[in-house]
């Protein structure tokens, strides 16, 4: 059985919306897209590359899948991420997409998402990673399917935007398994579910 690992960039006030680029996600009038980029450094790159080198399947919501495919699916294999992302089996949760999906090794999940994800965890030998996918993560939280969080906690307060943990999140306890500070003040914290 595998673990479901959610990997997110978050601000100090818990915002996870549009860390990568200004146009990434402007829903709700969010005007701070790209907020994580100035905090990138070699420490974060090494830590994320180490995690990516393990491989394993990925689970995406539709918006994140399309964003990742639009960028990483078009990159040359001269960086630590593209070969891993291209080779990974990508499970895509969507009710609007249909197969065949455009990015190699992609499979559609369109019905009974909690049951499908629970079955995926049972079936897979390697841990299943979730990158971004904020709305999907809310479903995973609600159905208690997340085993680990890897959070890059950035030293800024955004004051608006979609948060990782919303008011409807149930009481759930985790333990700190690892923390790595970067040179830009980001703390990469790994939390395992305390069962």
């Amino acid at each position: 059985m595998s673990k479901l690992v959610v990997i997110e960039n978050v601000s100090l006030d818990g915002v996870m919306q549009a860390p990568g680029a200004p146009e990434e996600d402007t829903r709700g009038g969010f005007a701070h897209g790209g907020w994580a980029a100035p905090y990138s450094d070699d420490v974060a790159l090494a830590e994320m590359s180490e995690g990516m080198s393990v491989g394993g399947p990925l689970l995406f919501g539709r918006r994140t899948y399309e964003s990742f495919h639009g960028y990483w699916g078009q990159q040359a294999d001269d960086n630590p991420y593209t070969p891993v992302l291209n080779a990974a089996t990508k499970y895509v949760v969507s009710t609007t997409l249909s197969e065949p999906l455009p990015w190699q090794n992609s499979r559609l999940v369109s019905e009974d998402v909690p049951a499908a994800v629970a079955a995926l965890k049972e079936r897979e030998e390697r841990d299943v990673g979730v990158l971004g996918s904020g709305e999907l993560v809310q479903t995973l939280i609600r159905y208690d399917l997340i085993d680990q969080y890897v959070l890059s906690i950035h030293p800024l307060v955004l004051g608006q935007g979609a948060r990782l943990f919303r008011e409807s999140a149930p009481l759930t306890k985790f333990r700190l398994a690892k923390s790595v500070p970067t040179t830009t003040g980001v703390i990469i914290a790994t939390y395992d579910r305390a069962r």
Side-chain angles (χ1 to χ4, degrees), residues 8-184:
E8 300 290 354
N9 288 291
V10 295
S11 64
L12 285 177
D13 56 339
V15 174
M16 62 177 291
Q17 186 171 354
E23 69 283 349
E24 182 179 353
D25 182 358
T26 59
R27 287 179 291 174
F30 188 68
H32 304 300
W35 53 267
Y39 296 95
S40 182
D41 73 351
D42 289 341
V43 175
L45 177 63
E47 190 68 19
M48 291 298 116
S49 296
E50 180 182 324
M52 292 289 288
S53 68
V54 176
L58 297 169
L59 179 65
F60 287 105
R62 177 194 56 82
R63 291 176 64 92
T64 302
Y65 172 78
E66 290 178 334
S67 175
F68 269 61
H69 174 251
Y71 183 78
W72 292 108
Q74 318 309 316
Q75 299 301 306
D77 287 350
D78 60 355
N79 64 75
Y81 302 117
T82 301
V84 174
L85 289 168
N86 284 335
T89 301
K90 293 167 279 294
Y91 295 94
V92 184
V93 174
S94 174
T95 57
T96 58
L97 296 177
S98 58
E99 291 185 312
L101 296 173
W103 201 358
Q104 64 201 45
N105 304 317
S106 296
R107 299 182 180 146
L108 186 63
V109 177
S110 59
E111 296 180 9
D112 198 353
V113 172
V117 172
L120 179 64
K121 288 173 62 173
E122 286 288 334
R123 183 174 67 243
E124 290 290 342
E125 294 177 10
R126 293 184 290 177
D127 292 345
V128 179
V130 181
L131 305 171
S133 304
E135 295 307 313
L136 170 60
V137 168
Q138 298 312 304
T139 299
L140 302 173
I141 290 171
R142 190 167 49 253
Y143 285 91
D144 194 21
L145 291 165
I146 299 168
D147 301 293
Q148 184 179 77
Y149 286 95
V150 178
L151 303 179
S152 292
I153 305 165
H154 291 67
L156 81 159
V157 173
L158 293 166
Q160 71 168 110
R163 286 172 168 72
L164 175 57
F165 298 106
R166 300 177 187 171
E167 290 181 10
S168 60
L171 173 65
T172 313
K173 295 182 179 182
F174 290 83
R175 64 174 184 78
L176 182 65
K178 180 180 179 183
S179 65
V180 177
T182 73
T183 64
T184 61

